[in-house]
Amino acid sequence: MAIDFTDEQVASTFRKLSVSHDSSANSRVGIYASWAALVLLAACFFVVAVFMIDADRRAESVRLQQSTDLIVQAVESRLMGTTELLQKSSMRLIHIPGTPSRTAGAELAAMAFMQDRREVVDMALVDRDRKVLRHWASTSQSALMPDSPERRIDASAMYEPVRSVLTREAPVVTSPYSVKDTRQVFFDLFVPTPADDQVLMARINLSRLIADAANSVIGTTPYIFYLEADGKPVIDRKQFRTSARSLTYSTNIPLLNDPSLRLVSLSNEHSLFTTDNLKFWAIIALAGLLAVALGLLVSNQRQQHKAHQKLFAENSLRVAMSDSSVAGIRVTDREGRILFVNETFQKLVGYRTQELIGVMPPYPYWEDDISATLQDILAHPEDRQVRSIEFRVRRKDGLLFDGQLNVSPLLNENRRVIGWIGELYDITEQKRARERMKAAHERFTRVVQSMNSAICVLGGDPDRPRLLFRNTPYEKFFGGSPDGAIRLVKLISEKHSLIAREGVYDAETNRWFDARMQWLTWTDDTPARMIIATDITNQRETELALEAQMKRAETTQRLVTMGEMASSLAHELNQPLAAISNYASGASMMLQAGKLTREDTIGALDKVNRQAQRAAAIIKRIRGFAATKKTEPQFTSLTPESVVNETMELALIQAEKLNARINTTIEPNLPAMTGDSVMLEQLLLNLLKNAMEAVQPCPNHTIDLDVRLHESGSFIQFRVADHGTGIPDDAKTMLFDAFYSTKDEGMGMGLNICRSIVEVHHGRIVISDTPGGGATFTFTVPVAREHPDLM
């Protein structure tokens, strides 16, 4: 039944918790005296019980010894009778050679003998050579032995007993033995027969012999009998249920002639009152006295139980609030008066219990006056929820820390509010961590929102993606929907790695973006994609304009090159034209003189045709080199030999004009390469023309063109080496810059275009010094792959 304590009783209980409290000395003495009397009574009962048990064990030991000796005597008497009867029956069982067989009579005699002596398992008639002449088995114990005589009788074990019987003409008993899976002990009895060379053997079940003797001597008994040889049971003893206090007695069986064989009898622990009822009534009386003593003790302690119940409740509250809580606990009544504080609370505020008990708000450890908030909580006891108050706490030593007070109502067993429990925590570090996290979040937000790049996080179901985060630039370009992010993901996945530097074009916004995508794990542990898109529209437009300008410059450079080579090209064309004119004039004169034969006419026309084709090829090569229709590189699979041969047709014309010599070395069996034929021919021709101009002031006008497979196996390497004046080191760093030239009349675009062509082909061009003087330009072109069009 619940007890509804008054407010004064509650306050008194909590006040007692704040001071030490001991039980009454008289109460302790009474309790100790009651238990001492109980212990003495139990000791007396124990002594009497031990005495009676000991006396009963001695009497039982004597009975066990007498019973065992009687059983041994009965076994010996039975065994002697069996021996005599077996010797008398031997006349009917022996086999006399030369006489009619008496098998039926011997069989009846043997069966009658084993029927009378049920401990005999089987019998055998054995000659001097241990050959079994006849064998009889008991039908009542056939399950204890093997089926066939050969398995039942061990010839090697019969040697010594047979020899001893024939020599001494006296019965011989063998040592007991056990048969596997029978848990029975047997021994063999050999007796002489009237025949000089025959012995009668009987296998006797010693276990049954002992059991029959026990039943005939002492009848039903709780005793257990088994045989030991050399101190070890002949059969497994696990079948016997024994205890450490079981009584045992062992003795020899003299007739078996085996000193190591002993009959062991065992008596299990049994009731004390089997033979003496007086002891039983004595124990009952002692038990009654003990019950009366217990009743008196219970009656005496019931009066002390109420006092100890209050003490137990007080101690439980103290343990629950003081020892089990890691928070500073403060208990007040319904008006806010402090009734109890635990040690943790005292350590937090620095005030002792005596300085806090009975204090009303405002409390001395308040730095901030929170009376209004606290009174609002105390004024609404029907609100059973936990209320939290954060305030600054000033310790008694003046130190300040941030505290959090969780206030909850204190309810009694009837759910009535009898006070308030406050839990005070030091949250200084937690508050600082929250402030640092808030500041870091604010800084991160400002940085992200201030970036020029559009940043968003796309998550959710792939079929129905959700926009988890977006910054201000994203809203500026794409608004607040995830459509822009979805378009960016699609554009990023579709763009090829080789054009990644060009960015992606969003048709909806008509802008170019440098877009990147990264997988990440969102705050709810789900996968999401972060997309960062930087607006590069102006940059891309500038790059496109620059590319168009470079293409125009390439065309211009080719035309300038053709202009510089115009005189040489005119001379080259004059040769086939002059040859045509000469062949035509000669043919005409010979025709007028009548000396032109049909064969001469055909020969002259062939020569004219070859010279015309030569002139047409030169013009076609010039037109192809100077063509301005190409706007984009046309990558195809080319052989290095074809590029060199096409370039040399024009380069040799310029070399003849400038009195230069070009030595060409091409490594055999080179693989095909991927490139634009016109651009590569322009690149190689430009380098050869620069080399021919560089050797003019020098006596050695030789230019070496070497084409071979790069050591990496992935590029074809072209090397153009001259033996001119060379290039200064300070000029090498600026040689490929636009509008920089070492020539007085140069435009400064030739080598810049050469570098652009090499970069378009994803190769590399470098300049080095030629041994002995001069400059060497080396560039590489990739070997053709499975998809050269992707270059």
Side-chain angles (χ1 to χ4, degrees), residues 598-785:
R598 183 174 181 275
E599 289 76 10
D600 293 336
T601 304
I602 294 174
L605 292 176
D606 289 340
K607 293 178 181 180
V608 169
N609 182 43
R610 286 197 299 271
Q611 294 298 324
Q613 289 179 355
R614 178 184 175 190
I618 293 173
I619 294 173
K620 181 180 179 181
R621 184 74 223 127
I622 294 173
R623 290 181 60 187
F625 182 76
T628 59
K629 293 181 180 180
K630 292 185 177 181
T631 58
E632 293 293 338
Q634 303 296 320
F635 290 104
T636 58
S637 179
L638 306 170
T639 61
E641 294 85 352
S642 64
V643 174
V644 173
N645 294 335
E646 294 293 337
T647 306
M648 292 301 294
E649 290 185 4
L650 299 178
L652 291 176
I653 298 174
Q654 185 71 4
E656 184 178 356
K657 176 183 177 181
L658 298 177
N659 193 24
R661 184 173 69 255
I662 302 176
N663 293 332
T664 303
T665 303
I666 302 177
E667 183 179 347
N669 300 323
L670 287 176
M673 59 185 182
T674 301
D676 184 288
S677 59
V678 174
M679 297 179 73
L680 292 177
E681 292 167 13
Q682 178 183 359
L683 165 64
L684 185 57
L685 180 62
N686 198 1
L687 294 178
L688 291 172
K689 186 173 74 69
N690 289 344
M692 288 185 284
E693 293 174 354
V695 300
Q696 293 304 310
C698 300
N700 189 355
H701 288 187
T702 302
I703 293 99
D704 297 321
L705 172 59
D706 181 78
V707 183
R708 65 180 61 250
L709 184 66
H710 191 264
E711 58 183 7
S712 65
S714 302
F715 297 90
I716 302 297
Q717 177 180 286
F718 293 80
R719 185 173 65 87
V720 178
D722 64 65
H723 301 278
T725 58
I727 300 175
D729 292 337
D730 55 349
K732 290 179 181 178
T733 58
M734 300 180 294
L735 197 61
F736 294 99
D737 294 344
F739 308 110
Y740 177 80
S741 177
T742 58
K743 306 174 186 177
D744 295 337
E745 69 280 4
M747 296 175 58
M749 291 297 295
L751 289 177
N752 180 263
I753 292 174
C754 289
R755 184 179 67 176
S756 300
I757 293 174
V758 172
E759 290 178 351
V760 168
H761 286 75
H762 302 284
R764 184 185 181 192
I765 184 170
V766 295
I767 181 174
S768 60
D769 295 331
T770 303
T776 299
F777 287 84
T778 303
F779 69 91
T780 57
V781 180
V783 172
R785 301 298 181 188

Side-chain angles (χ1 to χ4, degrees), residues 129-141:
D129 296 328
R130 303 182 303 281
K131 180 180 179 182
V132 179
L133 303 177
R134 290 179 178 176
H135 178 266
W136 305 274
S138 174
T139 57
S140 61
Q141 300 194 48

